[in-house]
Amino acid sequence: MGQESGVEERDVSKEEIKAGVELRAGHKVTLIIGGTGHPAVADPGAGPAADPKPGPDTPGQTPAQPSDPAQPDDPGPAPQPGKPPRPEAAPTPHDALEATLLSAAGAPQKRIEWEIALPDGSKRAGRTGDDGKIHLENLPPNAQCTLDLPDLDAEQTEAAPAAGRVRYQKDLALQAGTNPQVELAPRVRSAKLKGLHFETAKTFLLPGAMKGIRTLRALYQTFGGDLSVLISGHTDTQGGAELNRGLSDERADSIARFLTDDVDGWVKFYAGQPFSNPWGVREDQHMLLTLRDGGGAPFLAGGVDGALGPKTQDAYRKFQGEKGLNPTGLPNRDTRRALVTAYMALEGTSLPPGAKLAAHGCGFTRLAVQTGPNVDEPENRRVEIYLFEGEVTPPPRAKCIAGGCPEYPQWLARSKDTVDLDAPPGTLAATVVDEGGNPIAGAGVHVSGLVAQDQQTGADGVASFDALVAGKYKVIADKEGFTAADTDLDIASGGAAAAT
């Protein structure tokens, strides 16, 4: 028989290679198995073919090495003496970027808004997950990008970042193909409740403070993560130093218990405390005027006078009936517990469960307005609230000392921004459109400034925000399939702003 001549190409599976491949005499045979610079040909029984590997002439890529790929159950060659073992994790692809945001203590920074500018000027935006990671793919190979964390100040600090990390600064340069660890400096922010939010010698938080408490909650949510709250009470110069130190301690304690829905901790003030007057009908009237019945009307139809008159008794009776209590029309412990519980449940006035709070009283040792003794000055009757990432540093001492605690100036110095909780917040309506001016529904919109909030656009492309502390803000919009866009604007106290 004459021998046939020619070239035979066959698709060969790994199983055939293991078992042995039968060849025809006189034929040149090319076995196409992939991984050697040639395109892989699919084995019908082995699923889809792998993507082609780049050859040595592919720009920006490392030439593939001709080697026999290990079998799935093959652990590969044993490490040789003096050589490191084969790494398990593949390096970050040249067209991907994976950055991790960490605190100075090494904790992943969760839910941090980020924005990354690409070399062509386009932007991508998002928020870190519980692992603190930013992950981007399909970037230009080895692209130089810049990172902006709009909710964070790039605080200058003398402390160097931990080994292997880079300190965050605005427009931080990051390169595709890398996985940097970015260390964030701790933040501190302070807020003030000023003026007549307490009656003379009392610790009851008046209804007028509720807007400020809601703004405080928004500030707390802006920071997120591991946060500690320090509440520092202050008084004017009426009365003696010891009395005012004690009163400021008790007022700070009252706010801490209100913010954490500690009902028993508030009910105790009805019995009076060493430095403050007891609560009574007057405090009940404030709550009965603020709370609403099933029809949306205040329980109390009259004013606050501290007297147990017919209108106040009617208000007690209506409240008791709605709460399933004996409608006697008279105050008792169960009625007051129910009043305090409902007052603490006012929308947006509680910090999340597990919030860490410390209370400290300064008395009149740290006056906002310098006065002589026995001067009634509302600016000095205030509560300052500090939000610390991590622990309160330096920690407050158990009791303020004569002349003022040395820790107080350090708290002030570390605070980057001071928010006036008495100033009415502003609002914003943000409209998101495509390049043709058509509204985009379901886009994520993030506002970044003294407070940060997130909303999604409705069918009209509009996202609405409230409780925005007056100041400068950046508004960022993003949606899958679109590049991100942003704009800067000012929010005025009590004003209504709009952005497209």
Side-chain angles (χ1 to χ4, degrees), residues 110-157:
K110 308 174 184 178
R111 299 181 297 280
I112 299 292
E113 184 76 14
W114 54 263
E115 189 176 40
I116 288 183
L118 306 185
D120 63 0
S122 64
K123 295 180 179 180
R124 300 192 194 177
R127 179 167 284 200
T128 59
D130 289 346
D131 57 3
K133 290 187 182 297
I134 299 170
H135 184 81
L136 291 179
E137 296 180 344
N138 300 319
L139 302 174
N142 300 309
Q144 291 290 330
C145 308
T146 57
L147 170 67
D148 184 23
L149 305 178
D151 298 337
L152 275 65
D153 295 316
E155 182 176 332
Q156 299 301 315
T157 175

Side-chain angles (χ1 to χ4, degrees), residues 36 43 72 114 119 157 165 182 211 227 244 248 259 319 324 371 377 404 431 434-435 479 493:
T36 61
D43 176 3
W114 54 263
T157 175
R165 301 180 195 164
V182 181
K211 284 186 177 180
L227 196 63
N244 280 291
S248 63
L259 291 171
F319 180 80
T371 71
E377 174 50 66
T431 304
D434 62 20
E435 292 178 341
K479 185 178 180 180
S493 176

